[in-house]
Every structure is written in structure tokens, then in C-alpha cells.
Amino acid sequence: MPEALVGVIGGSGLYQIEGLSDVEEFYPDTPWGKPSDALMVGKLEGVPVAFLPRHGRGHRISPTDLPVQANIYAFKMLGVKFLLSVSAVGSMKEEIPPLDLVVPDQIFDRTVARPRSYFSDHNGIVGHIPFAEPFCQSLRPILNEVSEASGATIHFGGTYICIEGPQFSTRGESLIYRQWGVDVIGMTAIPEAKLAREAEIHYVLLACATDYDCWHTSHESVTVEMVVENLHKNVGQAKEIIRRFVPAAAALQNSHLECGCDKALATAIMTDRGVVPAESVKKLGLLVQKYF
Ligand SMILES: [Zn+2]
């Protein structure tokens, strides 16, 4: 099996990364089925990297239907410790115009129809991970720095509201979300961030603003055409940020990190070890085996 240290999930418009050498495909069967597509595993700037187009090549899978449990587990199988998620978002603030980038620090979950945990399906193991800081506190400043260095206009911090979709918001919803003070809106950070934390992977999000959703009276309401057009404009920038982020994240490999993402399960499992079904430990495999 190939190995990787850094993972990248490409969102809408980002279906490959440039400069990946010695590429192998990895399309495993996980306990949660197949990932969205084969992961491309190779070297970028000398670092072993795995790339997954979130919606599959050709953009085939709706946010609600994404096999996120399989996606995150596939990265875990490769040994990925640091995961960068790139996502198109709508801007909920005047001061974040389309084509600006955001490194959010918070999430508000408005999804309703997707699995959000590995500790589900009545599998007999209950785990409650800490999630007050949903993004890795070690990777966020690094992502901010490399984005600035690549010439992007980047906003450090902000709340990402995650809606179920696949429809865009109504204007009423959009105006209410603005009153809540959120910064950007998207459909995929949940459950990715939750499952990455349960998998003890450091996870950070690069949000690329493509539109003003539908709240902005002097701009047209969001359409797919608008999203795609602006994505094409900033996909080059996202690729440059990835090229700089990968070696910077890899350099943390042997550092002691205060964020604690890699120990999230150490105090999270409530279930008495004596009553946990052996088959559940086997299914959760790489996620929990070091605790049993
Ligand atoms: Zn972390």
C-alpha cells in the first residue's frame, strides 16, 4: 500500500493538483465502502501526498451523498496526519468579496441528513470528541502564512455555516444567517471536520469565496455559472497555496503540537472496554485500535 503524510481534498473546481510526481492510485474498500474516487498518491515538493477530488472526477456526488466516512478512512489507511480541505463557499459579509479566501476557525452545523460520526450505527462504542475548536489550531496559522506568501487576499478566522443543500439558501435563510454573524456558507465542512477529528487527523479548511449567496441586494443571487466562473479564476491560486502548504505542514511531523487533534480519542471513549463488541473494534480498525 502507498503511504502519505499530507492529504488534500479538492472541492468544486479543483479536481487535480499540479506537480504531483510518481503518482499511484489508491481506491480501497473501507468498512464504509469506497471513497468518492481513487486517491492520487505521489510526491509534491518531496513530501508524500494524497489527493482526493471530493465530489469525484466530473463532479458526480452531491454533498448529502458524499461517502465522507470512507474518504477520511482512506486517508487514515495511507497514514495521513495533516489534511487540507479546499472548498468553494458563499460570502456572508460585504468585506469578503468573491475571490477572497478565508481560513475559518468555527463551524455552525445546519446539516440534517448525513452521518456525522464513526461512533454510530449502534456499533456499541460511544465516543465524544472535543470539538470546541473544529479546525486544527496548529495548521490554521500555517495555512494563513502560505496563503499570504502566495499573494492571496486571505481572512484569518470566521464562522462557516454548513447547510444540507444541494439547493442554495432562500433569501430569508441567508438574511437570518447574516444576523447570526456567520462569515461564509458551504455544504461540505460537516461531517469532514468531525470525522477527521475522530480519526485524529489535523484538519484545516481553505474556503474560496465565489459569490455573495443571495442576501446582497446589489449583486445577482448565486448561480452555478457564477460559482464555476469564479472558481476557475482562483483555482490557480489554490494550487499555488497547496504547493506551499504541503512542505510547511510536513515540517510539523516531529513537533509536539498543542492542538491535540492527534489524541482526540484518548479521553473520548465512554464505553466500558469490557462491553465493547470485538467486531466493532475490528470495524473501527485504525481509528481505535491503539486504545484497545
Ligand atoms: Zn491539530
Side-chain angles (χ1 to χ4, degrees):
M1 193 189 301
E3 289 183 4
L5 176 60
V6 180
V8 179
I9 301 177
S12 306
L14 185 68
Y15 305 109
Q16 56 181 36
I17 50 178
E18 265 152 39
L20 201 61
S21 62
D22 310 320
V23 178
E24 275 181 79
E25 290 204 352
F26 180 61
Y27 193 42
D29 289 302
T30 79
W32 294 272
K34 291 272 190 193
S36 296
D37 206 326
L39 285 81
M40 310 298 291
V41 188
K43 288 252 171 74
L44 186 71
E45 302 288 312
V47 177
V49 170
F51 175 77
L52 175 69
R54 178 184 292 116
H55 299 276
R57 284 173 192 78
H59 204 111
R60 297 172 286 103
I61 311 170
S62 155
T64 298
D65 300 331
L66 288 171
V68 187
Q69 289 158 313
N71 290 351
I72 298 294
Y73 199 82
F75 283 110
K76 192 78 181 169
M77 290 170 83
L78 291 167
V80 165
K81 291 187 163 56
F82 306 103
L83 188 52
L84 169 62
S85 166
V86 182
S87 294
V89 296
S91 166
M92 301 301 287
K93 295 237 165 111
E94 184 85 51
E95 59 269 30
I96 306 172
L99 300 182
D100 276 16
L101 305 177
V102 181
V103 182
D105 62 343
Q106 283 299 326
I107 304 180
F108 196 98
D109 181 9
R110 289 274 302 162
T111 67
V112 293
R114 45 186 89 174
R116 299 180 194 71
S117 176
Y118 286 108
F119 299 97
S120 58
D121 310 322
H122 306 283
N123 62 15
I125 309 183
V126 180
H128 302 282
I129 48 146
F131 205 53
E133 297 295 343
F135 299 108
C136 172
Q137 297 282 76
S138 307
L139 291 179
R140 288 184 58 252
I142 288 176
L143 180 58
N144 188 54
E145 267 169 44
V146 299
S147 301
E148 271 178 357
S150 73
T153 307
I154 184 102
H155 302 262
F156 189 55
T159 297
Y160 174 125
I161 187 166
C162 189
I163 62 168
E164 185 62 51
Q167 302 85 358
F168 295 121
S169 304
T170 66
R171 184 164 294 109
E173 287 164 343
S174 196
L175 291 170
I176 287 167
Y177 299 154
R178 268 173 58 75
Q179 289 183 24
W180 290 353
V182 304
D183 297 275
V184 294
I185 186 165
M187 299 178 190
T188 55
I190 298 291
E192 260 180 28
K194 289 187 169 178
L195 296 174
R197 181 66 53 81
E198 287 185 348
E200 302 187 324
I201 295 174
H202 303 277
Y203 174 93
V204 70
L205 181 79
L206 179 67
C208 308
T210 55
D211 55 80
Y212 275 123
D213 201 43
C214 62
W215 60 268
H216 203 304
T217 46
S218 60
H219 282 73
E220 290 167 74
S221 290
V222 53
T223 62
V224 164
E225 190 184 5
M226 184 190 293
V227 169
V228 170
E229 190 184 315
N230 277 334
L231 275 174
H232 284 152
K233 286 183 195 157
N234 68 12
V235 77
Q237 194 156 54
K239 286 178 178 174
E240 174 61 18
I241 291 169
I242 291 167
R243 195 183 64 74
R244 291 169 184 260
F245 174 83
V246 163
L252 297 179
Q253 186 183 6
N254 298 315
S255 312
H256 171 76
L257 300 177
E258 297 288 340
C259 54
C261 307
D262 53 346
K263 304 178 205 50
L265 285 185
T267 56
I269 298 171
M270 294 280 282
T271 314
D272 186 330
R273 298 296 192 276
V275 302
V276 170
E279 64 269 29
S280 294
V281 175
K282 191 166 173 236
K283 179 178 178 182
L284 290 168
L286 297 172
L287 305 175
V288 300
Q289 65 191 17
K290 71 180 182 192
Y291 298 113
F292 283 87

